[in-house]
Amino acid sequence: ARGDGDWDSSQFVQLDRETSDHVKSLIQQSDAIKRVRKERIFEDDVTEEEMVIIQQRVALQQQQFAEFERREFAHKAQRIRQMYSYLDDDEIREALKEGHNDVDETIYQFSTPGYLTRLRRAIAQRHTPLTAAPQMTDVQRAKYEEMLKKRTRVQKKTTTSDARDKYRTVGRLPLDEALAQLQRAAAAKNGAGIDLARAMKGWSEARIKAFKAIKTKPNTYYYRFNAPGEEQRTGQWTPEEQRLFHARLGEIGANGQWGIFSMTIPGRVGYQCSNYYRYLVENRLIHDPNYVLDEKGKAHYLFTTKKKNPDGSAMRVFRKHRKPHVRMSREKYGYSDSDSDDASQSA
């Protein structure tokens, strides 16, 4: 027989006092239940008293099995958390299920890039009922592809060589760096006589226009910028940010004014709120009939026009860029497309 010194205690989970008492209680209950003994088990009828005893035995066995599963999970979870201490029970259970209860395989899976994100999404979707998402029809797909081709042709004709050279040689300037660049220029001049053209070097025209609109067009400004002095947040949305987002959604809805929308969510700007809303639509966590999904699951916004379909309903189309001469003529006479651009970028 194996002696006490021969046991490898690392292969077993040390039971806490509560669990130990529970196991002892199950054993005592088993000893207290009578046993049914029959010489001819398939011929003799089962009495009511014997049926009660059988039901008690079955219920006790179910409790014992549940306790065994709980201890087995605790042992496996302990091994997994030695490598990944931040995992919760739901994540470990889901991973063990996918890994056929093989701990080594489960530990390996967690080292795979993107695995934990996919796992968390599956858990969230299981707890949140998915909404129906309208799929892009063949007619809509054909119109969308034609629009993309036309947009490419227009861009090739209207984009200047200077703009193309700038795109190739100058990388996209992150927002934080752009604001830091402006602050350095202001500090160097003590706030007076700032050369904005120099301070905003590398900024896109849309970003410059948005920054200058802080007092006149809040939606345009807050679509790309936080309130002055407020640090921008990036990365995954926290539970508190998600709560604020849904509260804001219930308050004003998703009307395309994402800059105004973002003003009650500290650290987030309009385009981040727009992207998060699109994420909810694409993952069928929110139903919005204004969006259709293509075969890759990407959401596309449909704009309602004044034109009518044969059945009398309003015709809905994908957004088309205005022709350059139309945009210039509007700006010449004092109009601006900034706000409409911001709304359309949410689409």
Side-chain angles (χ1 to χ4, degrees), residues 21-222:
D21 290 344
H22 184 55
V23 172
K24 291 178 182 177
S25 174
L26 291 175
I27 295 173
Q28 291 171 356
Q29 291 179 49
S30 177
D31 293 338
I33 299 175
K34 295 180 180 179
R35 287 173 170 77
V36 177
R37 304 183 189 278
K38 287 184 174 293
E39 294 182 1
R40 294 174 295 182
I41 190 170
F42 296 108
E43 297 181 13
D44 294 346
D45 293 333
V46 178
T47 66
E48 290 186 11
E49 181 183 2
E50 291 171 338
M51 181 57 69
V52 170
I53 295 174
I54 292 172
Q55 290 173 347
Q56 290 176 341
R57 284 280 174 194
V58 171
L60 182 60
Q61 287 176 351
Q62 290 173 339
Q63 290 183 51
Q64 291 172 334
F65 183 72
E67 179 60 29
F68 167 78
E69 283 194 319
R70 194 181 75 80
R71 290 185 318 192
E72 187 75 3
F73 171 77
H75 174 53
K76 292 179 178 180
Q78 184 183 60
R79 286 187 57 194
I80 293 172
R81 285 198 176 101
Q82 288 176 351
M83 298 292 295
Y84 308 101
S85 60
Y86 49 82
L87 297 175
D88 62 30
D89 284 352
D90 283 344
E91 292 162 352
I92 293 176
R93 282 194 178 92
E94 187 74 14
L96 284 170
K97 182 179 178 182
E98 290 189 2
H100 305 289
N101 282 317
D102 187 322
V103 176
D104 293 331
E105 175 64 21
T106 300
I107 291 175
Y108 170 75
Q109 285 297 332
F110 277 117
S111 69
T112 306
Y115 177 74
L116 181 56
T117 299
R118 182 183 65 76
L119 197 71
R120 286 173 172 169
R121 178 179 297 181
I123 294 172
Q125 289 179 345
R126 188 168 61 250
H127 292 288
T128 305
L130 299 181
T131 62
Q135 300 295 314
M136 187 182 291
T137 64
D138 292 338
V139 174
Q140 290 173 336
R141 186 178 297 105
K143 289 184 177 180
Y144 181 72
E145 291 174 353
E146 178 57 31
M147 184 195 70
L148 291 180
K149 292 178 182 178
K150 187 179 296 185
R151 183 181 298 175
T152 301
R153 290 196 297 269
V154 171
Q155 288 176 340
K156 287 182 178 179
K157 291 180 180 178
T158 58
T159 304
T160 65
S161 58
D162 290 342
R164 283 195 292 269
D165 291 341
K166 179 181 177 181
Y167 178 79
R168 294 192 189 99
T169 58
V170 180
R172 182 178 182 276
L173 189 64
L175 178 58
D176 290 342
E177 177 57 32
L179 292 175
Q181 176 180 302
L182 190 63
Q183 291 170 355
R184 288 194 296 269
K189 293 289 186 177
N190 292 322
I194 301 176
D195 183 355
L196 287 180
R198 190 184 189 92
M200 295 181 177
K201 184 179 180 181
W203 289 32
S204 67
E205 292 182 11
R207 179 177 283 175
I208 294 173
K209 187 182 294 184
F211 186 80
K212 292 179 177 180
I214 183 172
K215 295 182 179 179
T216 58
K217 295 179 180 178
N219 185 61
T220 302
Y221 175 83
Y222 285 102

Side-chain angles (χ1 to χ4, degrees), residues 252-275:
I252 66 174
N255 60 1
Q257 300 290 298
W258 290 109
I260 300 295
F261 186 102
S262 68
M263 292 173 68
T264 62
I265 308 175
R268 297 293 183 175
V269 297
Y271 70 80
Q272 290 176 308
C273 294
S274 169
N275 290 340

Side-chain angles (χ1 to χ4, degrees), residues 281-345:
V281 172
E282 291 176 347
N283 286 276
R284 296 186 292 164
L285 300 175
I286 281 182
H287 173 65
D288 189 335
N290 295 309
Y291 286 85
V292 292
L293 303 184
D294 60 22
E295 63 276 5
K296 295 181 179 180
K298 184 178 180 180
H300 300 272
Y301 187 82
L302 289 174
F303 287 82
T304 302
T305 68
K306 295 181 179 179
K307 296 180 180 180
K308 299 291 183 181
N309 291 313
D311 60 1
S313 61
M315 184 177 292
R316 302 168 68 198
V317 298
F318 298 104
R319 177 178 182 267
K320 296 180 180 179
H321 287 279
R322 291 189 179 91
K323 295 181 180 179
H325 71 273
V326 174
R327 183 182 294 272
M328 287 188 291
S329 64
R330 285 172 59 84
E331 294 178 350
K332 178 180 179 181
Y333 293 102
Y335 297 94
S336 173
D337 292 327
S338 298
D339 289 335
S340 60
D341 284 348
D342 288 346
S344 64
Q345 288 183 21

